[in-house]
Amino acid sequence: MKYGTSSCGPVNTIAHNNLTRETEKLVADFIGKEDSLIFSMGFGTNANFFSSLVNSKCLVISDSLNHGSTRVGIRISGAAVKIFPHNDMDKLEHIVREAISQGQSKTHRPWKKILVCVEGLYSMEGDLVNLPRLVELREKYKFFLFVDEAHSIGALGETGRGVCEYFSVPPSKVDILMGTFTKSFGAAGGYIAADQHLIDRLRLDIMTNYAGESSPPAVLQQISTSMRIISGELNGNEGQERLQRIAFNSRYLKLGLKRLGFIVYGDDDSPVIPLLLYNPQKMPAFSRMMLKRGVAVVLVGYPATDLITSRVRLVKNCS
């Protein structure tokens, strides 16, 4: 094997190999940003990212339903945090206006940075961020915007390039795009895609590059091959056919569940379909019933959801 079976250590210790840099460039081109960084763990991507970007003199405004990895990363950074109700753009604008006018809580000096964090597709709700409205607010108030696309990249948009393509929003309107490779790409790890100057900064001081092992060559090759298939570089129209299939499957399943009388959350185009069970005691029985029928489901309850909104999450793939 040309690259072996393991990376054998962190990037800043053993340096990049050609395959790593080629894959990072491929990811950046696919997403529409200048450059990207690849990490071997999706959770660790968010958990280690924020401490390299913000500090105690910065404010992070986070959606109330952001993933636990984002919450952990924000807390580790030491930045001040404010939460806005899920997808409530009016409340977000109110918080941003107040933050700009009042400044830091003790000194009232201006915040060094104001960073708004959202997800492209919320994994437990199945709904999409209101990206056009969010970008409009970014242009108006000049805050930084972070979008976690773990569940939308490779699944949404005409060519699978995520929520920016889905809403016809240029990727340049979003400062930082994060995603994982464990869903649509069948691999492992995560990435940060942004402008060149930000990626150059992260290469120097993000903790993962010093303490976390790099992605193995086999995983990098899987990422590269999957991305090329989705974008149409490999296997002809297979990528387009898979994207059309996942869109059809998602709508078909959601419509069928609603006709049967189930309460289902999420947008119609979402490949994540939460089916509400409500009573936590129903969850084991429902799981066993699905297992007997050969259907794999993901049960989700407290604390990932509210105590009385237990659900089963159906995630459609394009196979």
Side-chain angles (χ1 to χ4, degrees):
M1 296 178 66
K2 181 177 180 181
Y3 295 104
T5 60
S6 172
S7 61
C8 301
V11 170
N12 287 7
T13 302
I14 64 167
H16 282 84
N17 58 40
N18 292 339
L19 183 58
T20 301
R21 290 300 297 128
E22 289 170 4
T23 308
E24 287 178 340
K25 285 296 183 183
L26 177 64
V27 170
D29 291 341
F30 182 81
I31 294 165
K33 302 299 281 187
E34 292 179 0
D35 203 355
S36 73
L37 270 175
I38 290 177
F39 307 97
S40 59
M41 182 181 179
F43 191 101
T45 302
N46 277 344
N48 294 321
F49 165 72
F50 293 95
S51 58
S52 295
L53 188 67
V54 294
N55 55 33
S56 60
K57 299 185 184 300
C58 302
L59 173 66
V60 179
I61 306 175
S62 176
D63 189 287
S64 61
L65 295 184
N66 275 341
H67 192 264
S69 60
T70 301
R71 298 185 184 191
V72 168
I74 294 170
R75 295 298 180 184
I76 290 175
S77 73
V81 185
K82 291 189 177 181
I83 308 297
F84 68 95
H86 175 56
N87 245 350
D88 188 337
M89 295 298 120
D90 292 333
K91 184 61 176 179
L92 171 61
E93 182 174 17
H94 174 76
I95 293 173
V96 170
R97 288 170 63 93
E98 183 179 22
I100 293 173
S101 63
Q102 297 299 317
Q104 300 178 42
S105 57
K106 293 182 179 179
T107 64
H108 295 289
R109 292 177 179 175
W111 296 101
K112 296 292 184 181
K113 295 188 188 79
I114 296 178
L115 175 66
V116 175
C117 297
V118 297
E119 293 186 25
L121 171 61
Y122 289 86
S123 59
M124 297 302 168
E125 304 299 314
D127 58 353
L128 298 168
V129 65
N130 187 351
L131 190 60
R133 174 65 172 145
L134 193 54
V135 168
E136 180 184 323
L137 293 177
R138 173 187 175 272
E139 295 295 310
K140 183 176 181 180
Y141 296 105
K142 309 303 179 185
F143 55 72
F144 293 93
L145 179 57
F146 170 94
V147 178
D148 180 337
E149 286 213 271
H151 290 83
S152 52
I153 192 68
L156 289 177
E158 185 178 350
T159 58
R161 285 169 167 82
V163 292
C164 288
E165 184 179 51
Y166 180 84
F167 287 110
S168 300
V169 172
S172 59
K173 300 294 185 181
V174 179
D175 298 285
I176 304 140
L177 287 164
M178 175 270 174
T180 59
F181 300 116
T182 54
K183 283 82 178 176
S184 299
F185 306 102
Y191 67 83
I192 294 288
D195 292 340
Q196 190 67 59
H197 68 90
L198 179 56
I199 297 299
D200 289 343
R201 163 67 187 275
L202 292 176
R203 289 190 194 280
L204 295 176
D205 68 356
I206 192 165
M207 184 56 65
T208 311
N209 280 0
Y210 287 97
E213 188 167 338
S214 306
S215 294
V219 173
L220 293 172
Q221 187 60 60
Q222 170 67 20
I223 295 168
S224 175
T225 302
S226 298
M227 199 164 284
R228 292 179 190 276
I229 290 174
I230 293 173
S231 63
E233 290 184 36
L234 295 177
N235 297 1
N237 292 327
E238 180 182 346
Q240 189 65 32
E241 291 173 359
R242 286 176 176 269
L243 289 168
Q244 292 172 354
R245 196 180 310 154
I246 190 174
F248 174 81
N249 288 347
S250 300
R251 296 190 191 100
Y252 182 83
L253 176 60
K254 183 169 291 186
L255 179 61
L257 290 172
K258 288 181 178 179
R259 285 178 174 175
L260 290 172
F262 290 101
I263 297 176
V264 180
Y265 282 176
D267 290 276
D268 289 340
D269 291 328
S270 168
V272 177
I273 304 171
L275 187 156
L276 274 292
L277 299 178
Y278 294 105
N279 189 341
Q281 294 178 336
K282 293 181 180 179
M283 297 172 67
F286 187 89
S287 178
R288 288 191 291 269
M289 290 171 61
M290 292 295 100
L291 182 61
K292 288 180 180 179
R293 291 161 175 79
V295 179
V297 297
V298 179
L299 299 173
V300 186
Y302 182 84
T305 67
D306 292 336
L307 186 62
I308 60 172
T309 59
S310 299
R311 65 199 65 180
V312 55
R313 192 180 72 172
L314 306 170
V315 183
K316 294 302 297 175
N317 60 40
C318 47
S319 60

